[in-house]
Amino acid sequence: MRTAPARALPARPRPHVPAPGRLAGVVTMAGSGLSNQVGAAVGALAFPALGPVGVVAVRQYVAAAVLLAVGRPRVREFTWRQWWPVLLLAVVFGTMNLSLYTAVDRVGLGLAVTLEFLGPLVIALVAARRRLDACCALIAGAGVVVLMRPQPSADYVGMGFALLAAACWASYILLNRIVGQRLPGAQGAAAAAGVSALLFLPVGVLVAVRHPPTAQALGCAVAAGVLASAVPYLADLFTLRRVPAQTFGLFMSVNPVLAAVVGWAILGQELGLAEWAGIGAVVTANALSMVVRR
């Protein structure tokens, strides 16, 4: 999952962007989505040495370094009214990434990311009152039933972690709205990333002491942090100035497909026709929800 607090900020009128600028935004958006999923896959290569916990710890450090440099939060000036959503966001941020990477380790990248995308879809559908939104919910529900259908090889613990990541993503969106209203720019997200990195510091030290990582494993974990946190965040800042928010959200819904393709190409995780049908249903529900949303 990426770190993109800019998406949670209130929409503002955007000046007309020339066609070359929109094209650059679309290309950047595509590169951001691919970078995010490749980063998750590269991080999974370090699981045998570091485990999901160790990889997430390194990713949190990288995310904190990038966001603190960009956001430059003035933490000494924060009030308690500003601090409490930041602290909650830090806990949700860490839990979201840890549960997602644990799910990736157990059920594969494509299935984990698809189930995680139920979080923002639920947020979009809860506030809706149209029949088409009910149809979107039914389509997504059918996809989830297909993906979680009983079978001998089903890992329901892994699926549970993916659903926990979905709940965390939904909470992340709601908390980001509050933080964005109470703190200017990316200060709130940067402070939350810093706190989350501090929470994972003992975990990272413990993992390093008990299982000293190889240079290759550490490199994969750092690459995961750069590709899945730093690159998408900076790319999203560039993209959101050049493409409509609706287009951005519509493209985001394709991420489960990207995750499945990257999981197959890098990790050798193959999916059957039923799994592809389930992923397609969730993606279709997301896309329809974005297309008809004002």
Side-chain angles (χ1 to χ4, degrees):
M1 224 288 312
R2 65 183 65 199
T3 306
R7 286 177 295 175
L9 298 179
R12 297 178 180 178
R14 190 170 46 84
H16 174 72
V17 178
R22 291 197 299 271
L23 178 60
V26 170
V27 172
T28 304
M29 185 167 53
S32 173
L34 187 59
S35 174
N36 191 30
Q37 303 309 329
V38 170
V42 170
L45 297 176
F47 285 172
L50 296 175
V53 176
V55 173
V56 171
V58 175
R59 175 175 171 172
Q60 298 302 97
Y61 306 152
V62 174
V66 173
L67 285 174
L68 288 172
V70 174
R72 298 180 181 179
R74 301 175 181 177
V75 294
R76 294 182 179 180
E77 300 177 6
F78 286 10
T79 64
W80 173 244
R81 184 173 177 273
Q82 295 169 325
W83 261 122
W84 74 258
V86 167
L87 295 176
L88 286 179
L89 186 62
V91 173
V92 167
F93 182 34
T95 305
M96 176 175 61
N97 285 331
L98 181 57
S99 55
L100 175 63
Y101 274 55
T102 303
V104 170
D105 187 35
R106 299 181 68 101
V107 301
L109 184 61
L111 177 54
V113 171
T114 301
L115 293 177
E116 185 199 26
F117 259 77
L118 294 176
L121 178 60
V122 168
I123 291 292
L125 295 180
V126 163
R129 295 292 184 272
R130 295 163 299 187
R131 293 181 180 179
L132 184 57
D133 294 304
C135 292
C136 291
L138 289 176
I139 294 172
V144 172
V145 169
V146 171
L147 292 173
M148 301 185 68
R149 70 193 187 283
Q151 51 183 329
S153 60
D155 188 335
Y156 291 106
V157 174
M159 294 180 188
F161 276 111
L163 293 177
L164 175 59
C168 287
W169 196 355
S171 302
Y172 179 83
I173 293 171
L174 298 176
L175 285 169
N176 247 322
R177 289 176 181 173
I178 298 175
V179 170
Q181 292 168 356
R182 299 184 182 181
L183 288 165
Q187 286 194 49
V195 172
S196 184
L198 288 176
L199 293 176
F200 272 89
L201 188 58
V203 176
V205 172
L206 183 61
V207 170
V209 170
R210 295 185 62 181
H211 304 284
T214 63
Q216 181 179 3
L218 189 59
C220 287
V222 172
V226 173
L227 293 173
S229 291
V231 171
Y233 173 72
L234 297 175
D236 288 352
L237 289 179
F238 177 87
T239 300
L240 285 168
R241 294 185 176 96
R242 289 163 175 80
V243 299
Q246 184 184 40
T247 303
F248 182 86
L250 183 61
F251 185 87
M252 280 290 296
S253 67
V254 184
N255 268 273
V257 176
L258 287 177
V261 173
V262 170
W264 167 76
I266 296 180
L267 303 176
Q269 298 170 345
E270 297 184 359
L271 298 174
L273 291 178
E275 285 75 17
W276 277 109
I279 291 173
V282 174
V283 169
T284 300
N286 273 278
L288 283 176
S289 176
M290 288 302 306
V291 166
V292 301
R293 190 182 309 165
R294 291 183 180 178

